[in-house]
Amino acid sequence: IYFWIGGFGGAQQGYAAVKLLLYSLCGGLVMLAFVIGSVLLIDTERTRTDGWNSFYRMCRRAGIQEGGTFGNVKIIGMRGVSASEKRKEVIEKHITGKEYSLLLIDGVADLVNDTNNVEQAKNAQDWLKYLTANYDLSIFATIHPNPGSTKARGHTGGEMLRDAETALLIKDFEGAKVGTSDFEFGKNRNTAKM
C-alpha cells in the first residue's frame, strides 16, 4: 500500500495534492496500465465531470488520443456515496471477478466516518490489506495531512502509514512539485529514501 500526503498549496493544499497526483502520476499510470494490466481509480471527492476532465488531461499528458479505448482503466466517482461502509462495498463489488493490477484511491480517509477513531482506522487498514491479499492488487492512496503539519490526518493516517510500503510527501522543491519520502513520517521499504 502506497500513500501520498499533500503538503503544499496553502488553503487549497488538499486540492493541490490531489491535482498533482492525478495530473503527474496518473498520466504515467494510464500508460502503465497498458503494460501491467487493469487499473481501477476511485475518486471519493470530485464530481463526475471533474473526474472525467482530469482523466482526459491525464490521457493528453500520456500522449493518448482523445476517444481512445480504455478497457483496462476504470474510473468510479464516489462523491455521492455518503457512508464509508457503502464505499467499501462499492469498491469490492467492482473488484470482485475482475483482474485489476492496481487500485488507486483518491481520498482513503473517506473510508472512515471519523479519522480520529482508532477502531475505524484499524478496520480500514485491515480492509485494505485484505484487498491486497485476496485480489492480488497493489494499492496507491492519498490522504491529506493535519493542518500545518506533514503528519497524515488523524489515527487513520497513522495506521495507514504504519503498513505502507512507501509514504511520500508531495511538496515544493525549487519551484517544482516533487514526491519525497525524506520527511519525518516518510518511508520507502527495502530501498533508500526518495
Side-chain angles (χ1 to χ4, degrees):
I1 303 173
Y2 297 82
F3 290 91
W4 280 266
I5 305 168
F8 61 90
Q12 294 293 317
Q13 72 181 15
Y15 173 75
V18 169
K19 182 175 160 184
L20 176 70
L21 173 68
L22 292 176
Y23 289 3
S24 302
L25 176 65
C26 291
L29 289 177
V30 169
M31 290 300 290
L32 190 59
F34 291 99
V35 177
I36 66 167
S38 295
V39 175
L40 177 60
L41 168 59
I42 303 293
D43 189 326
T44 65
E45 300 169 337
R46 298 193 291 173
T47 66
R48 183 175 296 169
T49 300
D50 288 342
W52 277 107
N53 287 338
S54 176
F55 179 70
Y56 292 137
R57 283 189 297 270
M58 287 185 267
C59 290
R60 282 194 302 274
R61 287 187 172 115
I64 299 170
Q65 289 185 334
E66 192 168 325
T69 301
F70 304 102
N72 54 346
V73 177
K74 185 170 188 172
I75 300 173
I76 300 173
M78 298 189 50
R79 185 176 185 174
V81 181
S82 59
S84 60
E85 290 304 314
K86 183 67 175 167
R87 288 184 180 125
K88 291 178 192 175
E89 287 176 26
V90 170
I91 292 169
E92 194 158 0
K93 175 184 167 198
H94 283 282
I95 293 171
T96 302
K98 311 292 189 306
E99 293 189 19
Y100 289 108
S101 300
L102 178 63
L103 172 61
L104 180 67
I105 303 174
D106 181 9
V108 75
D110 289 328
L111 298 178
V112 299
N113 293 318
D114 177 0
T115 58
N116 285 313
N117 182 301
V118 175
E119 185 177 345
Q120 289 180 26
K122 288 181 184 258
N123 286 340
Q125 174 193 38
D126 288 343
W127 182 74
L128 291 173
K129 289 190 289 188
Y130 160 81
L131 292 181
T132 61
N134 289 294
Y135 295 100
D136 197 25
L137 288 169
S138 292
I139 298 176
F140 288 85
T142 62
I143 190 164
H144 301 296
N146 288 318
S149 171
T150 60
K151 185 178 181 206
R153 184 158 297 160
H155 291 301
T156 300
E159 291 301 320
M160 298 296 173
L161 289 176
R162 208 165 43 86
D163 277 347
E165 292 291 324
T166 300
L168 299 175
L169 175 69
I170 311 263
K171 65 180 187 175
D172 281 313
F173 181 75
E174 297 179 5
K177 306 293 188 242
V178 297
T180 180
S181 62
D182 192 13
F183 71 107
E184 183 180 358
F185 305 101
K187 68 176 165 180
N188 190 15
R189 288 190 186 172
N190 306 314
T191 59
K193 290 200 178 246
M194 300 169 43

